[in-house]
């Protein structure tokens, strides 16, 4: 089943490019301290949150956009973006209060907002433009002490947790896009798994940009307390528009002693058309910390969308015996550009990390893996193994690998392997000989190539991802 | 010659040997048999001083010396040889250089002059014949690219070169076809003398048709749970290990 | 830091030019302007991230702008007699070509020119005009710009069409001074079609003062030519060695560069090989044995611009004590360079907790029909192999040595001059044993 995902993505046009006609509360374009205050006010935030935003905003003004990535990023006019857009009806108490158009949108996308309909048993937080529209299964999770809600609700109802952990993994000064997010973020998801609780279902956030000329700046905070477990899924789409939309999100994960967090993403923002017009700029800062002993963090990502992807889900291995994984498939086609990878910072003793990255480039796209493995002087017996493969499906695309290894302890073993090759013509011929068209053969081979990563996705998500991909173009092109 | 008393050893905190005792005299061949994971290889590692294992209790003396105090290389120079269950590949280190270094270090220990190049080559040639080892193997890096059988033969070749007092053969028979088995066993038998001894660790009775043991021991769960003559091996071949497990676990 | 050199140039550019050759002065002002703009590289630059030159560059070095002869007889200090190596022997003392003609050098094949750049600029201006600065002047690099502004001489070698140099050419760089000293030189090596040459460069320091050398070497390898470049560094730990080796390969040429650092202070080898013709073979390899405070950064690029070429890159580091190693291996395959096969390996062993290694392989590939791979490892000696050897009676120290030696062996095996291979084996073994790794009879490396 997972086999079809990539095939669909590489071979079909974008299917989620519809917009939804709903009343939207949108603030005028532009960015200033007043806008930051306005966002905070619209969200009825406490003073400490406003202070945090302003601190970040003032710092952002001193920063420059990073240039080190192997990307060609057109000038972005930060004054022509609207930093807040929300469906007019806010914070529905029950499904009846949700705008029916909105429900339709998410149904079209295959997102089960209706709890009774949620056959797959996934709890969903759906974020449209700037705000969280509906979180499902909240009550049944609540019985276990699990908090799963929108970020805004968390600020209101769990300020202590938010204050303690927000920006504890990604400081507000971290990087240009993260700092921008800190200033203007609108909403996102919040998860807290209490001590000793295994979250019984997959938690999922679904992001969608709908309104025109808006940026989406959400942030997600996941805290897994001692001996807990959670698997978290993230999906995203956007309508087709000629102009570029900016998405600058932050995800922070804290794993305490013996906790395990799995974070999976199928990123399918609008990549732009065949000629490179439009598409989402996806500049995301994702980072987790294995804070406690024996904690475990795993990132799995299938990156298929966006015009430009700039994203390095990273792990700080602080706790002794902690371990981290990064599994990634990044597909670029047409004019897409991706510069993605991970950072593994080994600090505690006996920490281990594993990186598996598969890049697939087609069309005139550029696909780069960039990764850092750093072993601190006190990180005894650290282990890392990285494998980064690139597959080229045309002679006009590029595949690049930029691994950095910095080792400061002689008990470490760090290994890196990378290969770049074109798709094997013998394999295609073999398929042809068995009656399989070249197009299908490429699909099969590419899927086989990416299988090790796709297999890491939770079953439920593979189903969901497949559903996302199965929406027909009919009537959905906006 | 070798006296093991109440030996306890662990790896990464996991106890594997749980009070093992055994004594071996000059001229004897002891077979140690036992199910997978019983601790047979652990015993050979501990006797040869593999730093991965920690001895927590017990004594081992070898010709009157406290073996556990000696560095691995000194145990070797005292005459303990281990034919590894999984011989290690050492890329870049040539067999000749490796063996010459080993032989000369042994000689130095005995206050002998290093061997001349021609003597060394002559000895190497002789010993190679003993295990019918291909000449080309000697020009390669240690065990690199050797087949399973070649690696085992190479172990016996090294044993012949170093002329040990006590040889421990850890599953030297596994992975050998019948011809190779005969060659290896022949080699071992030719090296047998009244003043040396061997411990033959094996799974199968097959090897014991060629190398006839004076004693057979069953190692199970970190201890020797049964000892007997060579008939015990036949009995094990026939009945497997379950009855022994039951006997032990039942108690 | 830059200011004193800017002032120096502003005040003395006339005499710098006067004591150099016109062919070398052509790009000088432009290089200086470039240096004024770029300054010395800092760790803020991606390319210099792993080598901090601040300390090395803060020393007040003397420069020999007026080309005052240095009183040293290289034959007194340098007595390299690698058994079986017969070479053409040349000396550069600091940054000047040593003017004694070695009797061995009289039998050079016809047409071969070996000498100082300055001399050749006078006798064969046309040769230099076409080549000097051709590869270096396009680089955006503060050190190369500095070299362009200050270099007044260098080593020159020309091998005409189809001429094969029967013996290796040995170039001995000797650093000799009574005060902290900076040597800046620019070498040019030209191999015409079908020519063959081997160059062995040895770096030595004689005096206990601080040295900084900034050397740029441009090598032009024409069609079907074969060039081997061996560099052996054996300098003291107060030396900063900033070397740039730029090689341009034409069709069907074969290039081997092997850079070995046995002893040094701070070294940065920038090596770039541009493969600009089809059917080329390229091997780039090197080794570093570092202890104490040694710092070595090999910053390498192989640029495949044309199809059907093969390249292999292999670098190995053994680092002890507080040694710091860095390796960058950029492998670039241009859009049209189809059927490129390029393989890169970097393996590193850290012997102590305090040693540090940074490695940054980097594949940039724009052609689809390629086979490229790289592998990098950082670790310590294989414990199971160590135990195996000790079980055979080999002492722990000896076993470690054998493993380290084996580890570096494949780099040494890439030396195509058998006598040199033996010699380097011996030096490496001595070095790994912690003995002085100087050649017998040679009194340079005290
Ligand atoms: N490096 C190790 N770490 C943890 N356990 C080990 C290690 N090596 C061996 N063991 C365990 O020790 C036990 C005995 O192993 P071994 O001595 O190899 O058995 P045998 O040779 O009798 O088959 C097994 O349970 C094995 O899993
Ligand atoms: Mg065993």
């Amino acid at each position: 089943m997972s086999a079809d995902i990539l095939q669909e993505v590489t071979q079909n046009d974008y299917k989620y490019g519809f917009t939804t006609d709903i009343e939207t509360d949108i603030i005028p374009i532009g960015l200033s301290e007043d806008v930051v205050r306005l966002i905070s006010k619209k969200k009825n935030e406490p003073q400490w949150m406003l202070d945090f935003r302003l601190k970040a905003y003032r710092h952002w003004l001193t920063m420059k956009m990073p240039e080190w990535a192997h990307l060609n990023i057109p000038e972005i006019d930060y004054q022509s973006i609207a930093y807040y857009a929300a469906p007019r009806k806010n914070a529905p108490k029950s499904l009846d209060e949700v705008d029916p158009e909105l429900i339709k949108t998410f149904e079209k996308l295959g997102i089960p907002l209706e709890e009774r309909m949620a056959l797959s048993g996934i709890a969903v937080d759906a974020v449209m433009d700037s705000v969280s529209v509906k979180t499902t299964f909240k009550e049944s999770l609540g019985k276990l002490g699990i908090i799963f809600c929108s970020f805004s609700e968390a600020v209101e109802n769990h300020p202590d947790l938010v204050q303690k952990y927000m920006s504890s993994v990604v400081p507000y000064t971290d990087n240009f896009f993260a700092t921008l997010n800190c200033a203007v973020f609108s909403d996102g998801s919040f998860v807290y798994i209490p001590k000793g609780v295994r979250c019984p279902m997959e938690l999922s956030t679904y992001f969608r940009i709908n309104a025109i000329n808006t940026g989406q700046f959400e942030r997600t905070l996941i805290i897994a307390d001692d001996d807990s477990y959670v698997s978290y899924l993230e999906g995203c789409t956007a309508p087709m528009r000629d102009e570029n939309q900016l998405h600058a999100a932050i995800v922070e994960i804290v794993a305490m002693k013996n906790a395990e967090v799995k974070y999976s993403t199928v990123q399918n923002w609008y990549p732009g058309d065949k000629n490179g017009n439009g598409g989402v700029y996806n500049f995301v800062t994702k980072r987790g910390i294995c804070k406690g002993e024996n904690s475990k963090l795993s990132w799995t990502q299938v990156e298929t969308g966006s015009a430009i992807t700039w994203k390095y889900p990273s792990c700080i291995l602080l706790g002794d015996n902690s371990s981290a994984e990064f599994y990634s498939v990044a597909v670029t086609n047409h004019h897409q550009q991706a510069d993605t990878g991970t950072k593994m910072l080994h600090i505690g003793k006996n920490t281990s990390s594993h990186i598996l990255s598969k890049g697939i480039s087609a069309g005139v796209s550029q696909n780069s893996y960039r990764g850092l493995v750093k072993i601190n002087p006190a990180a005894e017996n650290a282990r890392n193994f990285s494998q980064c493969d690139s597959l080229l499906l045309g002679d006009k695309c590029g595949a690049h690998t930029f691994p950095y290894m910095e080792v400061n302890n002689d008990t470490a073993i760090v290994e890196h392997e990378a290969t770049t090759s074109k798709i094997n013509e013998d394999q295609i011929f073999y398929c042809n000989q068995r009656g399989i068209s070249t197009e299908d053969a490429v699909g099969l081979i590419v899927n086989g190539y990416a299988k090790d990563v796709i297999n890491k996705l939770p079953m439920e998500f593979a189903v969901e991802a497949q559903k996302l991909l199965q929406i027909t173009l009919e009537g959905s092109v906006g | 010659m070798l006296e093991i008393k109440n030996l306890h050893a662990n790896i990464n905190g996991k106890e594997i040997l749980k009070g093992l005792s055994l004594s071996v005299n000059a001229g004897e061949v002891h077979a140690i048999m036992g199910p997978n994971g019983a601790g047979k290889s652990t015993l050979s590692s501990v006797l040869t001083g593999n730093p991965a294992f920690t001895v927590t209790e017990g004594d081992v003396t070898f010709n009157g010396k406290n073996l556990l105090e000696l560095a691995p290389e000194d145990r070797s120079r005292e005459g303990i040889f281990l034919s590894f269950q999984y011989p290690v590949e050492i890329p870049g280190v040539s067999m000749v250089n490796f063996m010459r270094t080993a032989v000369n270090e042994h000689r130095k220990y005995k206050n002998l002059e290093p061997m001349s190049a021609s003597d060394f080559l002559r000895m190497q040639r002789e010993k190679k014949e003993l295990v019918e080892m291909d000449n080309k193997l000697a020009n390669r890096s240690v065990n690199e690219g050797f087949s399973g059988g070649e690696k085992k033969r190479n172990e016996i070749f090294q044993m012949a070169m170093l002329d040990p007092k006590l040889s421990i053969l850890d599953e030297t028979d596994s992975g050998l076809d019948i011809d190779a088995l005969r060659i290896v066993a022949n080699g071992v038998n030719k090296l047998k003398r009244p003043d040396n001894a061997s411990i033959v660790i094996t799974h199968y009775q097959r090897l014991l048709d060629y190398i006839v043991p004076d004693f057979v021991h069953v190692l199970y769960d970190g201890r020797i749970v049964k000892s007997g003559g060579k008939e015990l091996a036949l009995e094990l071949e026939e009945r497997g290990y379950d009855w022994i497990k039951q006997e032990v676990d039942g108690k | 830091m830059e200011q004193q050199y800017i002032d120096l140039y502003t005040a003395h550019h006339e005499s710098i030019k006067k004591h150099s050759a016109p062919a070398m002065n052509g790009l000088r002002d432009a290089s200086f302007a470039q240096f004024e703009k770029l300054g010395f590289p800092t760790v803020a630059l991606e390319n210099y991230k792993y080598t901090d030159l601040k300390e090395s560059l803060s020393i007040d070095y003397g420069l020999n702008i007026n080309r005052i002869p240095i009183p040293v007889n290289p034959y007194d200090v340098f007595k390299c007699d690698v058994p079986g190596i017969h070479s053409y022997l040349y000396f550069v003392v600091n940054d000047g070509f040593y003017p004694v003609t070695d009797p061995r050098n009289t039998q050079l094949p016809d047409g071969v020119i070996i000498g100082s750049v300055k001399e050749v600029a006078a006798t064969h201006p046309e040769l230099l005009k076409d080549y000097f600065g051709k590869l270096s002047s396009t680089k955006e690099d503060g050190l190369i710009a500095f070299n362009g502004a200050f270099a007044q001489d260098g080593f020159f070698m020309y091998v005409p069409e189809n001429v094969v140099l029967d013996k290796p050419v040995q170039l001995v760089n000797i650093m000799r001074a009574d005060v902290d000293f900076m040597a800046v030189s620019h070498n040019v090596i030209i191999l015409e079609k079908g020519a063959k040459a081997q160059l062995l460069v040895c770096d030595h320091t004689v005096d206990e003062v601080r040295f900084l050398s900034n050397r740029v070497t441009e090598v032009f390898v024409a069609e079907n030519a074969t060039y081997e470049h061996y560099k052996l560094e054996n300098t003291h730990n107060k030396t900063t060695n900033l070397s740039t080796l730029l090689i341009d390969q034409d069709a069907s040429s074969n290039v081997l560069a092997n850079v070995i650092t046995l002893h040094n202070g701070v070294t940065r080898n920038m090596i770039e090989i541009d493969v600009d013709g089809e059917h080329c073979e390229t091997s780039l390899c090197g080794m570093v044995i570092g202890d104490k405070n040694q710092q070595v950064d090999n910053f390498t690029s192989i640029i495949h611009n044309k199809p059907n070429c093969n390249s292999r890159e292999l670098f190995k580091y053994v680092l002890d004590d507080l040694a710091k190693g860095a390796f960058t291996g950029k492998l670039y395959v241009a859009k049209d360079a189809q059927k490129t096969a390029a393989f890169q390996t970097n393996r590193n062993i850290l012997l102590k907790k305090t040693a540090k290694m940074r490695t940054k392989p980097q594949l940039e590939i724009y052609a689809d029909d390629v086979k490229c791979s790289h592998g990098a490892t950082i670790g310590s000696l294989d414990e199971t192999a160590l135990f195996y050897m000790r079980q055979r009676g080999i002492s722990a120290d000896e076993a470690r040595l054998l493993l380290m030696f084996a580890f570096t062996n494949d780099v040494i095996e890439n030396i195509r001059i058998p006598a040199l291979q033996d010699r380097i084996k011996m030096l490496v073994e001595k070095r790994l044993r912690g003995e002085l790794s100087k050649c017998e009879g040679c009194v340079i490396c005290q």
Side-chain angles (χ1 to χ4, degrees), chain B:
Chain B
M1 177 185 272
L2 179 73
E3 201 68 46
I4 307 173
K5 282 196 199 120
N6 188 32
L7 186 62
H8 290 255
N10 69 41
I11 182 158
N12 299 329
K14 179 178 163 196
E15 183 161 61
I16 312 285
L17 298 185
K18 305 173 180 169
L20 184 144
S21 300
L22 178 70
S23 75
V24 176
N25 297 312
E28 295 176 349
V29 176
H30 290 247
I32 295 182
M33 303 181 75
N36 270 326
K40 303 183 297 294
S41 295
T42 302
L43 175 63
S44 60
S45 293
V46 169
L47 289 179
T48 50
N50 189 329
F53 295 83
T54 315
V55 174
T56 51
E57 213 184 317
D59 301 303
V60 183
T61 52
F62 181 65
N63 289 330
K65 286 201 172 114
N66 179 355
L67 195 67
L68 300 178
E69 274 179 354
L70 297 179
E73 53 269 40
D74 286 336
R75 300 185 198 197
S76 166
R77 296 161 188 173
E78 285 291 334
I80 295 183
F81 179 90
L82 170 61
S83 165
F84 286 70
Q85 181 174 3
Y86 304 107
V88 183
E89 299 196 7
I90 314 180
V93 175
S94 77
M95 230 4 253
V96 182
N97 197 9
F98 169 69
M99 219 50 247
R100 192 174 36 224
T101 310
V103 166
N104 283 333
E105 295 247 5
H106 275 252
R107 290 177 67 89
K108 195 162 88 191
Y109 195 69
K110 295 184 189 118
N111 285 320
L112 296 173
E113 289 294 301
M115 221 176 207
S116 75
S118 58
D119 286 351
F120 177 79
L121 288 175
R122 188 172 324 113
M123 171 158 115
Q124 183 165 284
R125 203 174 325 114
E126 268 171 34
K127 306 295 181 188
K128 253 188 297 198
E129 277 165 18
L130 192 76
V131 288
E132 300 176 31
M133 198 164 89
D134 205 319
N135 239 334
K136 68 173 195 286
L137 295 184
N139 298 325
R140 290 214 221 139
S141 294
V142 180
N143 292 323
E144 197 186 28
F146 287 28
S147 72
E150 283 167 346
K151 280 182 185 162
K152 294 299 169 76
R153 263 192 245 186
N154 190 20
E155 295 291 289
I156 303 303
F157 159 71
Q158 293 175 41
M159 174 176 147
M161 291 290 287
L162 296 175
D163 189 25
K165 296 202 184 86
L166 173 70
S167 15
I168 305 165
L169 308 180
D170 190 356
E171 310 238 1
T172 303
D173 53 336
S174 60
L176 294 187
D177 61 34
I178 203 78
D179 289 332
L181 186 68
R182 184 184 43 76
I183 292 165
V184 165
N186 264 343
V188 173
N189 287 331
K190 278 188 202 151
L191 294 169
K192 191 177 166 187
R193 289 200 310 260
D195 63 337
N196 62 20
S198 355
I199 296 174
V200 181
I201 295 172
T202 182
H203 245 69
Y204 307 104
Q205 126 81 16
R206 198 174 67 154
L207 179 70
L208 304 178
D209 288 342
Y210 296 92
I211 304 173
V212 183
D214 302 303
F215 303 94
V216 174
H217 310 276
V218 179
L219 204 169
Y220 174 60
D221 195 21
R223 270 177 290 246
I224 303 252
V225 294
K226 203 171 187 67
S227 298
K230 59 174 183 282
E231 6 26 272
L232 180 56
L234 289 168
E235 192 176 358
L236 289 169
E237 178 84 358
E238 219 163 89
R239 300 176 60 189
Y241 291 109
D242 284 349
W243 61 283
I244 295 196
K245 289 185 192 170
Q246 275 159 16
E247 257 182 52
V248 176
D249 298 339
K251 266 179 213 165

Side-chain angles (χ1 to χ4, degrees), chain A residues 179-327:
Chain A
T179 304
L180 178 61
N181 176 291
C182 290
V184 302
F185 76 90
S186 31
D187 210 336
S189 303
F190 178 86
V191 176
Y192 174 78
I193 314 288
K195 285 195 169 88
V197 172
R198 278 186 74 84
C199 183
M201 62 182 81
E202 310 281 347
L203 301 184
S204 167
T205 303
Y206 189 80
F207 295 107
R208 177 153 179 95
I209 301 178
N210 191 57
I212 198 158
N213 274 337
T214 50
Q216 175 143 334
F217 305 93
E218 81 279 356
R219 62 188 302 152
T220 300
L221 176 56
I222 299 173
I223 303 147
D225 216 325
D226 296 356
D227 304 295
S228 66
Y229 167 85
V230 63
S231 168
Y232 191 89
L233 322 164
E234 173 203 295
C236 27
T237 55
M240 283 162 72
R241 298 192 186 281
D242 284 345
E243 75 279 6
N244 300 103
Q245 288 160 298
L246 180 62
H247 174 244
I250 289 180
V251 176
E252 293 179 285
I253 298 176
V254 181
M256 309 300 270
K257 201 169 149 190
N258 295 322
E260 180 175 353
V261 179
K262 276 190 180 159
Y263 193 104
S264 313
T265 309
V266 168
Q267 186 265 104
N268 193 22
W269 296 114
Y270 177 54
D273 68 11
K274 285 194 175 64
N275 302 314
N277 298 314
V280 170
Y281 292 165
N282 190 34
F283 302 141
V284 175
T285 305
K286 292 185 170 179
R287 194 176 303 152
I289 181 164
C290 290
K291 205 164 181 175
E293 280 167 37
N294 298 313
S295 51
K296 224 179 142 183
L297 179 57
S298 147
W299 297 103
T300 305
Q301 58 173 26
V302 175
E303 299 282 313
T304 60
S306 299
I308 302 179
T309 298
W310 181 98
K311 175 180 171 187
Y312 315 92
S314 304
C315 302
I316 302 167
L317 293 128
L318 181 66
D320 291 350
N321 306 316
S322 58
S323 64
E325 292 164 345
F326 173 76
Y327 298 107

